[in-house]
Amino acid sequence: MWYLRAVAVINVLGAVWVSFGDDIRRHNNEDLFTPYLLTAGFTSGAFSMFLAVTLRRRKRAAWILNVALSGLLVVAFSAAMTVAPEFRGHPQNWVSLALTVLFTVSLLAGRREFYAKGDRANPKRAVLTAAGGLLATSLLAAFLVTATDQAAPGASTFVERWEYGLLRAASLAAEGEAFPGIVTPNWANAVINGLSTALFAAVLWAAFRSIRAIDPITADDEKRLRELLARHGEPDSLGYFALRRDKTAMFSPSGKAAVAYRVIGGVSLASADPLGDPEAWPGAIERWLDEARKHGWTPAVIGASERGGIIYGRCGLDALEIGDEAIVEIADFTLSGRAMHVVRQAYHRVERAGYTVRIRRHEDIPAEEMAELVRLADTWRDGGTERGFSMALGRLGHPADGRCVMLECRDSDGALRGLLSFVPWGAKGLSLDLMRRDRRSDNGLTEFMVLELIQRADTMGITQLSLNFAMFRSVFERGARLGAGPVLRLWWTMLGFFSRWWQIETLYRANAKYRPIWEPRYMLFEKSTDVPRIGIAAARAEGFLETPELPDRLHRAWRKPPATVDSASRS
């Protein structure tokens, strides 16, 4: 890996440092050899860095490719040194041969270290990508050559222009003597080369792509998870969200604990703490980590509590605090006092407007009414993307979720204007799952509904509520204070900027109104260099980033259709 990283740096340096790059290329052109993958160029630099990354992830396919390429180069080196004595007179050739042999021998000696399996469909996918992409690229190149050809009209046929584009796409160059009737500007050739580079990257991505996911939880898995929740569900307010249908459950050898996770973008992303007996957590975590390493996934956890973070830390993961969860203790909550003036004022304003709240368990709502609630929740959703992963159930109104609690808020005319849905948190707690309201309703509607639930919680046997998660809460709380340092203020300003799209600060302000207890939540990871990749995967899982997907019919052979998921979102 270190060799490939060094080669990548030298290749890029040779591309930007003209004289240095010319020296390297001159050695090759004058019958001198450079070590494996050293060619002085951006493409070779990107290729060697890609191979370094895939080897770092222990991918077996990357090991096979490197052994094959470096082995062939060793054979070519050896043959040239044997057949042509003049090559032996250059010390650089011996150094290049020694480095290439050392790299190949190191790969062979460490073959057991590269165990990560790829998707079995990768070879087929890579061949199809190469064939279809080369055809499409060559045709686009042919049309571009036709539109920009500076030769006399009729000097070349379309077939010749297509062949020219095909050769340039395949080799990044085409001999001008072979196509005397074609004269293209340099920028057109650069565009064709760019298309071929993109095709090369697509083929590599298809060839080394990780397995996308293991099968989602089965009915038997869900039954076992619910049993774990019933016995050990009190400590973690996010435990119920392990029942999302797009997650996979990895159980400990004893079956007394489980880690719920989803694979996205090559990241095995677990959420919250493991379920079950804490003494069995390490067994479930180790099995989950082994599964991630087996497939070359990057293991990560999002939304773990401090207790969970300690156990994950003992298994080799580092922690990074990413925000706080707002917990309201019913017994300690009060509307009196100056600090609650804004919330109290909003509550009474909505109350005077004639709004009322009805609270029911999901199992007590008739099917016809639940269907209408689901329809309205979809209508009121902000945007077309369903958000939530670590703190959202991803469905609403499923018969298995009968113990969930629904709040329905109606105006003075009896029209439904807002919905809140909470999932069970042990026997005496509720955790916010879905929050939707009609945009035409009065301001303060959400606060009115939450306060109504708090005031009636005693009659329902509820002692604590988990509200929204406030990402980077400490930054917002301390960034505006007198004496905040320049780094903290810069971070606060950046988060405020991004809050225009993702409501980061808005969620913090909405939670802070209730004067909650703030419980920190953590992201866990193995290597700090993986944090950006994990952040992107988490943003995709939570619905903040979207990636285009091929139609299902184009990749049905290697992807099972997801289980039916109804609408829900915590944010």
Side-chain angles (χ1 to χ4, degrees):
M1 291 180 286
W2 287 109
Y3 170 81
L4 290 174
R5 291 171 181 170
V7 167
V9 171
I10 295 174
N11 280 330
V12 174
L13 184 61
V16 298
W17 186 356
V18 178
S19 60
F20 178 63
D22 288 342
D23 288 339
I24 295 176
R25 286 184 282 270
R26 186 171 62 253
H27 285 314
N28 276 331
N29 293 334
E30 294 178 1
D31 296 329
L32 298 173
F33 296 99
T34 53
Y36 174 60
L37 286 183
L38 183 59
T39 62
F42 287 115
T43 301
S44 54
F47 182 50
S48 53
M49 182 55 69
F50 176 85
L51 292 179
V53 171
T54 51
L55 281 179
R56 176 177 173 271
R57 295 175 185 167
R58 311 292 182 178
K59 289 185 178 289
R60 188 71 176 178
W63 178 85
I64 294 173
L65 179 61
N66 276 283
V67 168
L69 292 179
S70 61
L72 288 174
L73 191 57
V74 168
V75 172
F77 267 173
S78 302
M81 300 284 275
T82 302
V83 175
E86 62 272 18
F87 293 160
R88 296 195 292 269
H90 298 286
Q92 298 95 328
N93 288 355
W94 290 102
V95 174
S96 298
L97 178 59
L99 289 174
T100 306
V101 169
L102 181 61
F103 177 75
T104 306
V105 171
S106 299
L107 285 175
L108 293 174
R111 62 188 181 278
R112 298 183 184 276
E113 297 295 324
F114 303 96
Y115 44 76
K117 300 177 181 179
D119 195 327
R120 292 183 178 181
N122 281 355
K124 177 181 177 181
R125 185 184 294 116
V127 170
L128 292 176
T129 301
L134 189 58
L135 177 60
T137 300
S138 62
L139 288 175
L140 287 174
F143 285 115
L144 180 61
V145 171
T146 301
T148 61
D149 192 3
Q150 298 172 352
S156 62
T157 64
F158 182 79
V159 174
E160 290 175 333
R161 293 189 290 273
W162 174 76
E163 184 181 357
Y164 176 88
L166 179 63
L167 289 176
R168 179 164 284 278
S171 63
L172 299 182
E175 293 294 335
E177 295 81 2
F179 301 94
I182 298 177
V183 180
T184 55
N186 291 332
W187 68 265
N189 292 332
V191 170
I192 298 174
N193 290 347
L195 291 174
S196 63
T197 302
L199 173 60
F200 181 62
V203 172
L204 287 178
W205 173 82
F208 291 96
R209 189 182 188 189
S210 300
I211 295 176
R212 296 189 67 179
I214 302 299
D215 293 338
I217 59 173
T218 63
D220 181 63
D221 291 336
E222 183 171 342
K223 179 181 177 181
R224 296 172 65 186
L225 292 175
R226 289 184 182 275
E227 291 173 353
L228 294 178
L229 280 171
R231 291 196 296 266
H232 305 281
E234 294 286 348
D236 191 7
S237 63
L238 308 184
Y240 198 88
F241 300 119
L243 301 177
R244 281 181 64 101
R245 300 297 168 79
D246 58 354
K247 292 182 179 179
T248 300
M250 180 62 69
F251 290 87
S252 64
S254 64
K256 295 181 179 180
V259 173
Y261 68 98
R262 175 185 171 191
V263 179
I264 182 167
V267 175
S268 181
L269 190 64
S271 60
D273 296 345
L275 297 183
D277 186 352
E279 293 185 1
W281 284 7
I285 294 171
E286 289 295 343
R287 289 194 65 189
W288 166 66
L289 290 174
D290 289 342
E291 187 73 13
R293 296 179 183 121
K294 176 182 176 182
H295 295 289
W297 298 329
T298 299
V301 184
I302 191 78
S305 70
E306 185 172 359
R307 184 180 70 156
I310 292 173
I311 304 300
Y312 276 113
R314 293 173 184 171
C315 295
L317 300 184
D318 289 330
L320 176 66
E321 185 175 341
I322 58 173
D324 298 85
E325 179 187 10
I327 305 294
V328 176
E329 294 288 346
I330 302 299
D332 299 332
F333 182 83
T334 177
L335 263 179
S336 60
R338 184 177 181 84
M340 300 299 293
H341 172 71
V342 174
V343 177
R344 187 169 60 248
Q345 188 178 45
Y347 174 81
H348 290 307
R349 183 177 62 251
V350 175
E351 184 182 40
R352 288 193 298 269
Y355 284 83
T356 56
V357 174
R358 186 179 188 182
I359 304 176
R360 291 183 288 179
R361 297 278 181 181
H362 284 201
E363 61 191 7
D364 298 328
I365 303 175
E368 297 79 7
E369 291 186 35
M370 181 61 76
E372 178 63 14
L373 296 179
V374 171
R375 186 191 68 80
L376 288 174
D378 285 339
T379 302
W380 294 336
R381 182 172 58 210
D382 184 11
T385 302
E386 193 68 63
R387 293 181 176 176
F389 171 71
S390 57
M391 299 182 179
L393 190 57
R395 61 181 181 267
L396 182 65
H398 193 280
D401 302 319
R403 298 304 295 167
C404 294
V405 173
M406 180 75 77
L407 278 72
E408 308 159 48
C409 187
R410 299 181 181 274
D411 61 17
S412 58
D413 297 326
L416 190 63
R417 295 299 185 185
L419 293 173
L420 293 181
S421 182
F422 290 79
V423 300
W425 170 13
K428 298 183 178 180
L430 294 177
S431 186
L432 180 61
D433 171 34
L434 177 142
M435 181 171 59
R436 303 280 168 80
R437 72 179 184 89
D438 189 342
R439 295 305 178 91
R440 298 169 296 180
S441 61
D442 292 355
N443 291 331
L445 187 70
T446 301
E447 290 85 345
F448 178 71
M449 298 171 71
V450 171
L451 292 175
E452 282 290 308
L453 176 61
I454 292 174
Q455 292 174 4
R456 304 185 207 176
D458 287 340
T459 62
M460 302 174 61
I462 302 301
T463 60
Q464 53 189 352
L465 296 179
S466 168
L467 300 179
N468 272 311
F469 171 73
M471 185 174 290
F472 306 118
R473 177 197 67 87
S474 59
V475 177
F476 290 113
E477 188 172 275
R478 302 197 307 266
R481 289 182 180 176
L482 181 67
V487 176
L488 183 59
R489 282 192 174 275
L490 176 61
W491 187 220
W492 173 62
T493 302
M494 291 176 59
L495 290 177
F497 174 77
F498 287 112
S499 293
R500 299 177 183 180
W501 295 278
W502 293 333
Q503 298 181 337
I504 302 174
E505 186 174 8
T506 303
L507 284 176
Y508 160 64
R509 301 296 178 193
N511 292 333
K513 295 176 182 178
Y514 306 103
R515 314 293 292 178
I517 299 171
W518 295 106
E519 294 289 342
R521 290 282 171 173
Y522 300 88
M523 179 175 73
L524 286 303
F525 53 90
E526 270 193 325
K527 300 175 182 177
S528 57
T529 53
D530 291 328
V531 170
R533 186 172 183 232
I534 294 169
I536 293 174
R540 289 178 58 190
E542 297 287 357
F544 294 109
L545 291 179
E546 295 183 67
T547 55
E549 292 282 351
L550 291 174
D552 284 347
R553 63 179 180 275
L554 296 182
H555 50 78
R556 198 171 295 156
W558 63 82
R559 193 191 80 173
K560 290 187 177 182
T564 301
V565 178
D566 296 315
S567 298
S569 176
R570 187 169 189 170
S571 55

